[in-house]
Amino acid sequence: MHQIYVMSDGTGRTAQQMVNAALTQFEEHEIRVHLRADIRSEEQALTILQEVVQQSGILFHTIVSDELRRLIIRESKIQNIETVDIMGPMLTTLSAYLANSPAEKPGLFHQLNEAYFNRIEAMEFAFRHDDGQRPNNLHKAEIVLVGVSRTFKTPLSIYLAIKGWFVANVPLILDINPPSELLEVNPKKVIALYTKPITLAELRKARQMHLGNATGDYARLDHVRKELNYANRLYAQHPHWTRLSVTNKPIEEIASEIIRHFAKETKKIGDVK
C-alpha cells in the first residue's frame, strides 16, 4: 500500500481535499492518506519526516511559515523524501505580484472561513427566532431583545447577527404575559428596549399609513403610553435586565451600545452562553 502524508500548520483540510481530488485519477492503487495537522514546531515536522521515511511515503505540505517550510525542504532532500510544497510557490507568486510579504499566520484561511460560516449561522438563528418564534430556544441565544412593537427588535437582531451574535427577540404585547422561557433566561442576556411615547407614536403612524390605516389603536398616543407603561412594569420586575433607550438613535448606534455592554463582561462567552 502506498503511503501519502499531508502536513499542515492549520487544519489541513484544504491540502487533504487537493490530494484527494488528485487521487481520484488513480483509483486502481491502494493508497492511505495520513493527515498531520497543527504542525508549528521543528520537532513536530522532523518527527513526521522520519515517519514518512520509515513508511517509504511521499509528503504534501501547506506550511505558511517560511522558516519551517525551508526546514522541511532541506530535510526532505537529505532524507530523499519526495515532497510537494503546495503553499510555498503560491505565496511566492502572490508576494511578488502584490509587492508584499505574506502574513505567515497558520490557520488563517480556516479562521476566516469559520468566521464567515458563523455569521451565516447567526443570521439563520436570528430569522428563526424573530418576533418571539421558538421561545423554547431562547436559552441558546447570546442576546435576547425585548420590547414593544417598533422598538427596532428585528433590524437590531439582523445587524447584530451580521456581526456574528446569536440573537432572539421577543415582542411585548399589552396585557399578555411574555413567554415563560423569557423569564428563565440568564438575565445578563436580556436587553430591554424602551423609547419615548411621542417618538414611538410617530413611528407607528408611519407604519399605519403604510398598512392603509388598518391597525386600530396601534398608533394612538394613549395606547402607546399604556404599552410602554406595561413594558416598564415588566422591566422593573427584572432589575438585572439591561434597559436601553432607542429614542432617536440609528440602528448602528444602538447595536454598538449593546456590543459595548457585552464587551464589558469579563467572561462574555461563559456568562452569555
Side-chain angles (χ1 to χ4, degrees):
M1 179 179 291
H2 300 281
Q3 309 292 331
I4 295 178
Y5 286 79
V6 177
M7 186 194 302
S8 173
D9 47 18
T11 65
R13 293 175 186 170
T14 301
Q16 189 174 36
Q17 288 173 353
M18 293 176 69
V19 170
N20 287 337
L23 288 176
T24 60
Q25 305 297 318
F26 302 92
E27 295 180 350
E28 68 277 12
H29 294 277
E30 287 189 59
I31 300 170
R32 183 178 179 185
V33 178
H34 307 265
L35 176 61
R36 300 291 183 264
D38 294 317
I39 305 305
R40 307 292 176 85
S41 69
E42 292 187 3
E43 291 76 15
Q44 289 175 306
L46 290 172
T47 298
I48 294 168
L49 288 171
Q50 188 59 40
E51 187 178 353
V52 177
V53 171
Q54 292 172 355
Q55 295 294 327
S56 299
I58 64 172
L59 174 68
F60 293 82
H61 64 88
T62 53
I63 302 294
V64 298
S65 166
D66 190 53
E67 182 177 351
L68 189 55
R69 196 166 60 250
R70 284 200 301 267
L71 169 76
I72 294 170
I73 294 171
R74 183 180 69 248
E75 290 299 318
S76 295
K77 289 179 180 178
I78 294 172
Q79 300 286 347
N80 196 28
I81 300 171
E82 188 68 36
T83 305
V84 178
D85 181 1
I86 298 175
M87 188 65 72
M90 190 181 304
L91 292 174
T92 300
T93 301
L94 286 172
S95 181
Y97 178 69
L98 299 173
N100 197 5
S101 299
E104 295 191 15
K105 294 181 180 179
L108 186 59
F109 174 78
H110 175 69
Q111 292 171 19
L112 295 172
N113 217 26
E114 187 176 36
Y116 169 76
F117 284 111
N118 182 71
R119 287 196 298 272
I120 296 299
E121 188 178 356
M123 291 181 68
E124 290 177 349
F125 185 92
F127 285 123
R128 290 196 304 269
H129 300 86
D130 181 40
D131 204 28
Q133 297 182 80
R134 300 175 177 83
N136 56 307
N137 285 335
L138 284 177
H139 65 283
K140 296 180 180 179
E142 294 178 300
I143 301 172
V144 179
L145 304 176
V146 298
V148 301
S149 175
R150 309 307 289 174
T151 48
F152 311 125
K153 296 184 300 298
T154 295
L156 277 171
S157 295
I158 302 303
Y159 187 91
L160 289 166
I162 293 172
K163 299 289 187 180
W165 292 86
F166 284 66
V167 187
N169 71 75
V170 178
L172 298 181
I173 303 172
L174 183 62
D175 296 329
I176 297 179
N177 291 329
S180 59
E181 292 88 350
L182 173 64
L183 309 182
E184 297 169 1
V185 166
N186 181 346
K188 292 183 179 181
K189 294 182 179 183
V190 181
I191 302 294
L193 306 173
Y194 69 94
T195 186
K196 292 181 179 179
I198 294 177
T199 303
L200 182 57
E202 290 301 318
L203 285 171
R204 289 188 173 184
K205 284 178 183 178
R207 176 65 172 170
Q208 191 175 50
M209 291 178 61
H210 179 72
L211 296 175
N213 297 312
T215 55
D217 294 335
Y218 178 72
R220 286 180 51 184
L221 184 58
D222 59 340
H223 181 78
V224 168
R225 284 199 173 102
K226 289 178 182 178
E227 284 196 39
L228 290 174
N229 287 336
Y230 166 70
N232 286 328
R233 287 195 300 272
L234 179 65
Y235 297 165
Q237 294 170 14
H238 299 277
H240 295 295
W241 289 0
T242 299
R243 298 186 66 206
L244 180 62
S245 171
V246 299
T247 304
N248 297 324
K249 294 178 182 177
I251 297 298
E252 295 84 356
E253 181 180 342
I254 303 169
S256 293
E257 290 185 39
I258 293 172
I259 293 171
R260 282 198 298 271
H261 165 73
F262 284 102
K264 290 178 182 178
E265 298 290 335
T266 56
K267 297 180 181 178
K268 172 193 153 187
I269 298 301
D271 289 344
V272 175
K273 290 186 177 179

